[in-house]
Amino acid sequence: GLQTRMLSNGVLIDRQAAADLKAHTCAIVQLSLEGMAETHDSIRGPGAFEKVLNAARLLREAGVGVTFAVTLTKGGAADLPRLLDLASWAADRIGFHRLVPCGTGKGLAAEMLSPAELRAAFEVIQRFKQEHPKQEIPLRDPLWKAYFTCAQISRHADGCSAGYGGIFVEADGTVYS
């Protein structure tokens, strides 16, 4: 009775994988998308952007929901209007996360948004959300609450589901809650 979701870079999702995910009742696949082609491929490797778009198309054709997960970097923030437009026809949802420069993100520290750049990105996202109410854009970053307070917008912002609404299982079977 639990909803199953998968997080992926989309590179290995072909027609058969999409059908298998649907057959195993996977409801949503979250595909990492770092920006438009140049930005995404500079982080994920040449051709990765087209593979994400193909994975999104195949998943949706198979009846599996698609969420684009964007880590906000300087490049991704510059791509925001085009990313939001892309998500409006290629995905069911688009979510945003701040870059945390540790682990594999350590090498991207120079791409971290300043507080002013982050606020500007939040304003673009919020404006798009208001203008396109059918496009689902979950607001889970803890800083959304601070942004809404400062902007005097009385809208609900979610938080991360880890520990109270979801568990995460790595490919090797490691479980996080």
Side-chain angles (χ1 to χ4, degrees):
L2 298 175
Q3 186 181 71
T4 303
R5 298 178 180 200
M6 185 176 89
L7 283 61
S8 174
N9 64 12
V11 172
L12 299 178
I13 296 177
D14 58 14
R15 190 171 307 282
Q16 185 60 52
D20 289 345
L21 287 164
K22 178 65 175 175
H24 289 87
T25 67
C26 182
I28 297 171
V29 174
Q30 177 178 295
L31 298 171
S32 297
L33 189 62
E34 309 305 340
M36 295 304 288
E38 184 179 343
T39 302
H40 185 79
D41 287 357
S42 73
I43 295 169
R44 300 282 180 159
F49 179 79
E50 288 303 321
K51 290 178 181 176
V52 168
L53 292 187
N54 187 54
R57 181 182 56 79
L58 293 171
L59 288 162
R60 292 179 87 199
E61 285 175 3
V64 177
V66 172
T67 298
F68 287 154
V70 180
T71 300
L72 288 171
T73 61
K74 291 183 186 296
D79 291 342
L80 264 177
R82 292 183 300 152
L83 276 172
L84 288 159
D85 181 60
L86 173 67
S88 71
W89 59 266
D92 302 292
R93 303 174 356 146
I94 183 169
F96 298 92
H97 314 279
R98 284 173 293 125
L99 172 65
V100 179
C102 64
T104 57
K106 196 179 243 181
L108 296 172
E111 282 293 305
M112 226 174 125
L113 298 178
S114 70
E117 291 168 325
L118 182 62
R119 182 183 178 111
F122 279 4
E123 289 171 356
V124 169
I125 294 164
Q126 179 62 20
R127 192 169 36 256
F128 186 90
K129 187 174 175 67
Q130 289 172 337
E131 293 169 0
H132 300 85
K134 291 185 178 182
Q135 178 65 40
E136 189 175 347
I137 304 175
L139 306 176
R140 294 203 169 111
D141 188 300
L143 288 183
W144 276 109
K145 291 181 193 239
Y147 167 75
F148 285 139
T149 301
C150 290
Q152 297 181 346
I153 299 170
S154 60
R155 298 214 32 183
H156 174 72
D158 295 326
C160 179
S161 64
Y164 70 89
I167 62 169
F168 304 91
V169 183
E170 294 274 351
D172 67 0
T174 303
V175 176
Y176 300 93
S177 64

